[in-house]
Amino acid sequence: MSRYFIFFFVFFSQLIITSPYTLVGRSGHTASYMDNKIYFLGGKTVKHLVGTNDFFYLDVSIPFDLDSTLPIFDLSNDARYIDIHSHGISTICGPNKDMIFLIFGISEESFTYNFIINDQEWDLRSQEPNVRWSSVVCNKNGSYIYVYGSNDVNKYKMTIIDTTHGFTVSSDLNIPNSLATAILLQDGRIAYIGKRIDDLWVNFRNIYIYNTNDGTWRNMSTSGIEPSPRYFHTTVLTQDGLIIIYGGVNNIGPVPDQISVLDTKVDPFTWSIPNIDYAPSSAPFSGHTATLVGNYMIIAFGYYRTATTKSTVLSDQIHMIDVSEKNNYKWVKNFTPLAYPTKSPGAAHAAIIGGTTGGIATVIIIISVSYLLYRRKRTVIYAPQAKHAINC
């Protein structure tokens, strides 16, 4: 009897862990993509202006429609020991690429949380205090993360952390500039997309590239039509080597050129402005996250302006841009995976819990097996002479 109890307990616990999540407007959250899931963490909401420790994911292994119920599941129970926060940074890393590294500061302290998917628990590590970390990148084999930030005016640094053992490999590389968002290029170099002016506005004319193989820097002057200065924007890298800049604000409001593309296959890198249809009125312009999944740039939450009053409010929605056609993008509502991708290294450990379909199948199996066992046991006890009852 006890083994049935344990089995059912584990099963129903899984259902509780993967309960559907009701979206609320938020900004300053993080988004990390791994094994067909986009994991969202933290961010501030109307009710929690300092931040939250909300933890949930969007399942992108199946098709969905933005106008219908999204396949979003709550994991907040697994993050209840994380401090509430907003404007953190995160990346997927580790030898098996199955760990979420989350870094944020509280007051003057900085912390790194890493979540191992197969263990479903967080590990807390302290970072250097009084540092405002602004970007984190994982190298190609998952052995190191490169964390960039600043602690004093005109003093910037990069810290390299071993993801296996958790210790700092090197730090305080005396970076001369306040650099913007970081992207890991396909050749393993890290590109910092622009330089911050007064630690805020980003000027995109120069790209600063760090070579993870030999530890050298390159200052590249780009060509083409560079984006206007901004902050609170996002960047993603496409499979064909294009970096897409989306959103951002200036001292007036949303920037007029909401989307730009940087071609990294040429030297020097070249800026261009793609064709794109009008954005939905609810599309965010700052405080959002952008994640590339196949040919879709998935934009989550952030701030948008209402069509009637033009007031700025928090979005509780997901938006998507189809970037499959070069220089001709379009806003879409239907998501279709290219295919059901082959599991990535460590993916056998990366799936947190099965979805609803798996749950239903498990229920059917449980009921069927239990019924057969019950019938078999009943035959032995109540009908010892009914030799053919087992075939009924």
Side-chain angles (χ1 to χ4, degrees):
M1 182 66 180
S2 60
R3 62 180 175 182
Y4 294 114
F5 173 79
I6 293 173
F7 188 84
F8 276 97
F9 176 80
V10 173
F11 173 72
F12 286 115
S13 293
Q14 291 178 352
L15 286 182
I16 293 172
I17 292 174
T18 58
S19 59
Y21 183 76
T22 301
L23 296 178
V24 297
R26 73 180 62 243
S27 71
H29 53 286
T30 61
S32 304
Y33 174 51
M34 182 188 66
D35 193 34
N36 300 322
K37 296 179 179 69
I38 302 177
Y39 294 94
F40 297 100
L41 274 158
K44 60 183 181 180
T45 66
V46 172
K47 291 185 177 180
H48 304 281
L49 295 178
V50 176
T52 67
N53 56 1
D54 293 347
F55 187 23
F56 55 97
Y57 71 83
L58 171 66
D59 187 348
V60 293
S61 67
I62 57 177
F64 58 81
D65 187 323
L66 295 181
D67 290 333
S68 302
T69 302
L70 297 177
I72 290 183
F73 299 93
D74 189 12
L75 298 172
S76 296
N77 186 60
D78 293 324
R80 60 189 182 278
Y81 300 118
I82 295 181
D83 292 290
I84 60 173
H85 64 279
S86 64
H87 301 291
I89 53 178
S90 70
T91 188
I92 298 290
C93 205
N96 295 320
K97 295 291 185 73
D98 63 349
M99 301 171 68
I100 301 176
F101 284 82
L102 171 67
I103 302 174
F104 61 86
I106 300 175
S107 184
E108 297 180 353
E109 299 294 325
S110 289
F111 301 98
T112 297
Y113 288 88
N114 61 287
F115 181 76
I116 305 175
I117 299 300
N118 56 315
D119 290 344
Q120 298 183 41
E121 62 181 31
W122 290 90
D123 179 35
L124 171 63
R125 302 172 185 175
S126 295
Q127 289 296 326
E128 181 179 347
N130 300 313
V131 177
R132 184 181 63 185
W133 301 109
S134 57
S135 68
V136 58
V137 172
C138 176
N139 68 344
K140 294 187 71 173
N141 62 15
S143 56
Y144 300 105
I145 58 173
Y146 298 77
V147 191
Y148 172 83
S150 62
N151 50 8
D152 297 313
V153 177
N154 297 324
K155 186 174 182 180
Y156 312 98
K157 65 187 306 179
M158 177 191 289
T159 294
I160 304 174
I161 301 175
D162 183 308
T163 61
T164 302
H165 304 96
F167 57 77
T168 298
V169 176
S170 64
S171 185
D172 198 9
L173 301 182
N174 296 316
I175 312 300
N177 297 294
S178 177
L179 304 182
T181 310
I183 287 284
L184 182 71
L185 302 178
Q186 294 167 342
D187 60 8
R189 295 179 298 166
I190 301 174
Y192 291 86
I193 315 302
K195 171 184 175 182
R196 294 189 184 276
I197 304 170
D198 299 328
D199 281 340
L200 186 62
W201 313 101
V202 175
N203 184 296
F204 296 96
R205 174 53 60 188
N206 286 55
I207 303 296
Y208 296 82
I209 302 173
Y210 179 77
N211 191 321
T212 59
N213 297 315
D214 57 18
T216 58
W217 286 88
R218 179 188 177 187
N219 182 354
M220 177 189 291
S221 179
T222 61
S223 62
I225 307 173
E226 65 180 280
S228 61
R230 70 193 66 195
Y231 62 100
F232 288 157
H233 55 282
T234 53
T235 60
V236 299
L237 177 70
T238 67
Q239 297 177 353
D240 53 355
L242 301 178
I243 294 176
I244 303 175
I245 306 292
Y246 172 76
V249 296
N250 54 28
N251 59 345
I252 301 176
V255 293
D257 49 338
Q258 281 282 294
I259 190 165
S260 294
V261 174
L262 181 66
D263 190 346
T264 66
K265 302 187 302 298
V266 296
D267 194 342
F269 296 170
T270 302
W271 289 105
S272 64
I273 299 177
N275 296 318
I276 188 170
D277 52 348
Y278 285 108
S281 58
S282 57
F285 56 82
S286 70
H288 57 281
T289 54
T291 308
L292 192 77
V293 179
N295 292 322
Y296 299 91
M297 185 167 73
I298 299 180
I299 302 167
F301 317 120
Y303 288 102
Y304 75 99
R305 282 185 171 175
T306 60
T308 54
T309 63
K310 301 300 181 182
S311 58
T312 301
V313 296
L314 288 173
S315 171
D316 61 357
Q317 298 183 39
I318 303 288
H319 293 79
M320 293 188 300
I321 299 178
D322 185 338
V323 298
S324 58
E325 187 176 347
K326 185 177 180 180
N327 294 323
N328 191 21
Y329 300 161
K330 56 184 178 181
W331 293 88
V332 295
K333 290 190 174 183
N334 294 308
F335 174 84
T336 304
L338 293 176
Y340 289 95
T342 303
K343 293 287 185 180
S344 58
H349 304 291
I352 291 187
I353 300 295
T356 303
T357 303
I360 294 173
T362 307
V363 170
I364 295 173
I365 293 172
I366 293 171
I367 294 174
S368 300
V369 173
S370 300
Y371 177 75
L372 291 174
L373 291 173
Y374 169 76
R375 287 294 302 270
R376 181 177 181 180
K377 185 175 182 180
R378 187 187 67 171
T379 301
V380 173
I381 296 175
Y382 296 103
Q385 305 303 318
K387 297 181 180 180
H388 304 289
I390 193 172
N391 296 320
C392 295

